[in-house]
Every structure is written in structure tokens, then in C-alpha cells.
Amino acid sequence: MIYNRKEKQHRYRKFVIEEFINTERNYVHDLKILIVVQSQVKQWLNKQQIEIIFNNLQQLYELNSPFLQDLEGFLPYKRFKLLGPMIKGLAPFFKVYFTYYEGFNKSLTTLKQCINDKEDFRKFLKNMTELKEYNYQDIESYLIKPVQRIPKYNLLLEDLIKHTENTHPDYQNLRDCLQLFKKINDDNNKNLDQFLSSKLFDMEKWFGNKLNQKLVNSKRKYITELLTTILDQNNRVINVTAFILSDLIIIGERYDNQYQYVQSVFLDERSGCLDVQNQQHLQNIYILQGMNGQSITFIEETPNDKIEKMAKLQKIIQECKEKSKYTFQRQASRQGSEIKVQLNKIKVTALGLDERHENLSSYKVYIIEVGIDEVFQKLFLRFSQCIKIQDYIKKKYPTIQLHFLKQSTTLSLLNDQKEIESRMISIPLFVQSVLMSEITRQDSQILKDLGLPENFYDLPSEADKFRTQRNVAQRGPDRFSYVSPTRTLIKTVDYGNDQQSIQSNQCNRRLLSASSMISRNITLVEEKKKKKEKDAIQIIVNHSIPKEKPWEFNIQNNTKVLHVLDQIQKIMELQQIYDFKLYIFDNKSRVKILQNDENICDLFGDSFIFAKKKKELWFKKFLYQDQEYEKTLLYADNARMKLLYYQLVKDIQISTFPFSTQNQYIKLAAIHLYLQNCSLSYDIIQQIIPSAILQLKQREYWNCVVAQEFKDFKASIDNTQSTMVEINEPEDIVKVKSKGIFSSFVQSTQTQFSQIENINIDSTKAMIQFITECLRNDFCIQQLFQVVCKEALSQFGEQNLVLGVSYNGIRLYSSSKDRIWEKIEEPQSFNVFPGSIEIGFKGRKLKFETTQGFQIQSLFDEYQAIKSSNQE
């Protein structure tokens, strides 16, 4: 890794040196052309006029010509060859430029006067711009070049030093050269400011036709230029020059003595830098965001380069904004207060990647977070879906300028990964530019295609009414909550008036879910009339309660997972449902937990809508807190108790989580037998004790030990009652009761699915004990994922591991789950990449190969949100 970084630094150093020599060669050639022009104009101008206009041009040429020869003598480039001494030797003589700077203002004034007074001279100068021998440039373009050269030396030397190791024998020489040129530049700056805007004339010729407007403007100022590297819209990494103006940044790629336009962004009051977290292949990236969602993606060689360049660029932009504050405010007032709110409040970033399968093909879904003020929603977008939206916009609004996506073909696996990572950056930028555009406020079809509610821009004003519906006494998130991720790919850097809202969002605020604020397009299919509603699609949701049929729902194309959960909560009369999830099975029969914001129809691909067979989902509790609080919830909600009891029975039956001793299985079998209210039955025993364990003993043995455990358990229940004995409840349960949260389960008359019999006190205690015994098993309260960790082979002796996520953090188990390799309570970092995750802890990082990275991150985020809420 270090070797690759040094090689990359070496290649860039070579590029900078070649740029230094090439630009010097072009500059000396331009001076030579100017000297030729000086001799040609003698027939129209007198000696005094020539001396004023061309100043000490001959002196500059006599200095830079041998300087070029020395530089060319440096070639061919060798890694440890010294460039500094030859620059250092001539650097003091560059003070002669002060004379040229000092007389430049008078030079332009005299030139203008001669052009007005002398017609033949004027014709000659006009012809210059039409002749190839003058590179089609006018005389002003040539006269400004010496003014621009000293600042260029500073930029080139700074870049060269940055990419020269401090142990390199030329390092200190180059630093000395930079100090000499900086001193010359500082002395000249007193005369330089008024001429820098002349750079706009050069840029007008290079880029004017691409921008469809005049660059030369009395209100526009040239600030500086930076040598840097960008990731263009074709995913090419190219070395460029960033020309920074007071309201505009233009990216140009150098060809010979000209610059070819690459891209540009206009600046407004919200412009600034966005920090992009490192991915596997694309690293040290940051984004400059301009007006209307336009952006430039910069990529630097090292983290330090990124920090330095980003800070420098941000400082320049901030100064531009301060100087142009009135202009930006005037633009905002013209746009209107509503649009101004959107500019400040709309935030879009990438969260992760999910791989899905349809029939025999697979495809990737990019998870994008969209927020407006404090209302957020996750979008699950395919790249082809984004292209379809883009094509719709281009066709209907051909003149609109957005951050458009470009489709590219990749061949190798490495390029595929880079393509995916590039799309992880470009898709949120595309979505943001779409949401900030005027057309989207007028065309609700675009919002619909993105998966956003049609009233997206009105959500902040409607948020207050939903906040009043929150259960303020609840511990943990509620159904209106949006769980803010612990890691996002793109982060806002400190800038502008938006900083207050940025800091607020970083503080575990209880953000609202946009999905909870829109109408539910779902109805229950009633038993008596299983008639399909018009334009409806039917789904089945399975549960664990025996002898009760699954729920059947009519849904629409935009019905979300959250809407199904809300409907289940009403049917079951559950007091809380945030810890229950819907899930499906992927193509490898693995559990795939569904996100609340996902559209049901999108989960099964395009063929779902036309399928005759109803699609199935499953309902289950996934999130667990500490045992005492879980018992509190159970005492307060009989429906929850029964759901969880039967869920655990089913999980034990399919060996989802193992117990370490036979006695634990025997105890659970006895309690289960008691709750089934039946005589001793080997069939009941088989529901709890796995067949692999049952085979170790005779059938009569299991009947005997379970019967004895059953007798002891029943006696313990009987001993706690005479006529009616209160259950000793924990203190926190009493507190919950005092708040009015505790209520006996009321039979529902809505449907047969909620007709659960009232549970008597014996059953309550038995169920609580059964659930408590299960919750003592760490595997019960964790969601487990199969992962591969190649680094673990040397450390743990195997690379196939089981990763568990729970309220207590992350656990790493052996593949057989009989050993725990690592406990990670508070990860120092948690990064999700396409096909893998990386977790940092105890000063080291482990990389795990998995296609379930986003699920792992989401579950971890949910637990972090619960912990944060508990600490409030």
C-alpha cells in the first residue's frame, strides 16, 4: 500500500515537472512572438510609444530563454535528479519583472490610445487574431502573460513540493526556490491586483463558447487557479487546472498552449465543499457543490492533500461569498423564500448498496438518503431507474442543466467496483440537483418516479402536527421516527448559514420519517369477501401464531413496508412495533430484513405486478434491549407476549439459535408443555428439543426428564397462588403502570387474526419465564450474518465467521458458533463497501466479505438510535 502511494506520488511529481517545463517553453515562445510584434509596429509607433507598451520585454526574454534551456537540460526525468539548484540560481534575477509590473497600467493605456489614433496599427492588430502564426490571439493576451508568470511559478513549485518526499535531496532546494518567488510575487502584488482581471480575456477565448455567456464582466473577478485532479462524468481521473472566479469555477484540461473546457459550476450562497468518505478504490475525494445541484468531484493523492486543497478551496469560496454577499442575497430574493428554504434544507447522500435477485439475474440497488429540514426518507434506486428519470427530464425539459449521469461499460471486476463506487457518488448528486430544480416543484411525476411523496416540499410545514402524535414516554424510536445513519458517504463541511442545521442533525435528534406522513395505500383482505380491489396487488404476511391464518393485504404500487407494519399494529393492537420488522428470504434462503421506506412492489422486481401467485413476507421481532425492559414490555402488552412466545418456539424448532446444555432444552420443553395445557406428549417435546440432541437418548428418557421438570415447574406456579396471588413485578413495571401504559389485552372485533384469548395469570408467568430463558441466550437477541474475513485466518484459524449484531454491540463467532472470537461494544469505525464491510476497533481494522453489508449497518444504526434515545 505504501509502495503504491509512493509510486503514485512519483508519477504526479514527474507530471508537475513536465508541466513546469512545457509551460515555460510556451511562455518563452510567446515572448518571442511579442518581440517580433514589437519590431513590426515601428512603422506606426514612435520610439517612446514602443518603449512604454513593450516595457522591458527584451530583458524578460533574455532571462527566461536561458532559464528554459536549463530546464530542458533536466530532461530526461530521473527520480533523484536535482531541479532546485538550477531554478535557485536564476530566481533572484526575476526581480526584473517588477519593472514590467510597475509599467503595465501605463502600457495598456498607451496601447489603447494608439489603437484609437492610428488606423493602420488598428488593422494590423485586428489581423493578428486571424493569423495562425500569432496563435489567433490579440496583443493584450500576449502583454498580460509576464504578469501571470510569477504567480504560475508559485503554484507549480507548491504542487511540486507537495509531491516530493521530505527525504528527497531536492526537497529543501525547492522550498528555498518557493520562498524566493513568493518574495518577488509579494513585492509585485501592489501593482498586480488591478491587472488580474485581464486573465478573463484569456479565459473568454478558451471557455466563452462553452458557457454561453461573456466571461468578461465588471462584477466578475479572477481570483486564482489551482493545479488539481478531478473525477469527470466519464469516471476518468484527469489532471486539470481549476480557474477560480468570484462567482464561478471553471475546470480546464491543458492542451499545448490552450485549455480545453471540462466543466464548470456557478457559486451561490450555499456553495461549498462536501467531504466524501473513502471507499475501497476511490479515495481522498471531495465535492464542490455549486448552484442548482451542479458539482465538481475532486480526487487527491493523499489524505493530507485532500484536507489542504479542500480547506484552501473552501476559504477562497467563503471569501468570494462574503465579497459578493449582496449579489447572492439578491439572487435568493428573486428566487423567493420557498426556494431559499429548499436550498438550505434539502440534503441528499448515499448510505449503501443492496444486491437483489430476480429470476436468474441480479441487480444492485443504491440506497440514498433524502431529507428536507427534519423529515427524511430512504430511496432504493437502480441505476437504470435513474437513467429513466433523466431521459424523461431531458425529453420534457431539453434546456435544463442538472448533474446528469453518464452510462459506461465496464469489463474487469476492478472496473466494476470503481463504477459502482463512482455511481455511489454521482447518484445522490443527480437526485439533489433534481430536487433543487424548479421543474420538480412543478412536475410531481418526477417525485413519484423517485419514490418520494408528491407533497415532498410541504413536509416541513406539516411536520409539527405529526410530532404531537409521538408517545413522549416511549423508550426508543417510534413509528414516526427516522433512524439517522451513523455513517453517510457524503458529509457537509462547515460552511455558510447551513451550519446550525448540520450540527443539529449530528446530535441524535428524533427526526421524522417521510413515509409515516403520507397516506396508507393498503387494506386488509377480509375473510368473507376476498375480493381484489381495483388496481390492487395482494400480498401475504406470515406470522408465528399457530392455528391463525396469515394476513392478506391489498396494496398499491407505492405502498411501503412501514404502511404494512402500521396495519399489523392496528390488527394486533400492539402498543409498540418499532422492534418488529418485515422480512423476506433472498436467493440463498437468507433472511433479508426490510427497511421501512422500501416499496413493497419493488422488492420482487418488475414481474411482481403481473404475477398470479401472491408474494409472501414474514413478520418478526428483531430488536432486543436489556432483559428487564423487555419484561416490562411483555407485562404491559399481552399481544406482544404471545407473538414473541410463538416466535421463539418456531426459532427453536428450526434451530435458529442453539442452547449450550440439555437442561435448558428440557426446561423450555416443560414450560412449553405447560402452556399447551396438554398431557405429556413426545410431539410437544420434539417441538423444542432438536432431533440431533433427541437422538442421543432413548425416547423414554426424554419423556421421564421432561415430565419431572414439568411437575416441578407446575408446583412452582401453584405455590405462588392460593386464590389469587399478585405477580411480583419489577419496580420499572409499576412505573409503567402508573403512566397508564399497562392495559390488559382487549379482544379485537376487527378480524379473526386478533382474536387471541385473554391470558390468565398462570400463563402470563409461564410465558414470561419461557421468554426470559430464551433471552438469556445471546444468539436469541442477535441477528447473525455469515461473513468471510481473510485476515482472521492467521488470528483465529478460520476465515468463515458468524457476525452478530445486538444491543450490546458486535460479536464475532466461529463458523460453528461454539466459540466467540471477539466482542466489539463500541466500534471506532464502521464502513460499508460494495461486497464488504470494514469495522475498526482496538486500533485495528477487520474487513469482512458480505453482500449483506447494508443490512448489518442498518441494524447497527437502529441499536445506536435506541441507545441514544435511552440516554436522553
Side-chain angles (χ1 to χ4, degrees), residues 381 385 388-389 392 444-452:
L381 300 172
Q385 184 181 350
K388 187 176 179 180
I389 296 170
Y392 169 82
S444 61
Q445 183 62 43
I446 299 174
L447 291 172
K448 184 178 178 181
D449 291 343
L450 282 170
L452 289 167

Side-chain angles (χ1 to χ4, degrees), residues 369-417:
E369 179 186 74
V370 174
I372 180 166
D373 199 8
E374 294 179 3
V375 184
F376 282 75
Q377 179 180 327
K378 294 184 181 75
L379 305 181
F380 299 81
L381 300 172
R382 295 174 67 170
F383 186 73
S384 59
Q385 184 181 350
C386 295
I387 293 295
K388 187 176 179 180
I389 296 170
Q390 178 172 286
D391 290 343
Y392 169 82
I393 292 173
K394 284 184 173 181
K395 184 176 180 180
K396 192 169 182 180
Y397 309 98
T399 60
I400 195 70
Q401 294 293 318
L402 299 174
H403 182 97
F404 287 125
L405 302 167
K406 290 204 175 179
Q407 222 164 349
S408 58
T409 304
T410 55
L411 299 174
S412 68
L413 178 63
L414 180 63
N415 285 336
D416 281 341
Q417 292 297 318

Side-chain angles (χ1 to χ4, degrees), residues 1 278-283 417 421 833-837 847:
M1 188 73 177
N278 282 344
Q279 301 184 73
Q280 282 182 296
H281 301 290
L282 296 180
Q283 299 189 349
Q417 292 297 318
E421 291 179 7
F833 305 115
S836 67
I837 60 173
K847 180 182 175 183

Side-chain angles (χ1 to χ4, degrees), residues 8 134 407 442 583 678 827:
K8 189 176 179 182
Y134 299 111
Q407 222 164 349
Q442 300 169 357
Y583 68 96
C678 62

Side-chain angles (χ1 to χ4, degrees), residues 2 24 237 342 375 424 495 550 570 810:
I2 295 174
E24 185 66 20
V237 176
Q342 291 161 17
V375 184
M424 290 275 284
Y495 66 88
K570 292 175 184 176
I810 295 172

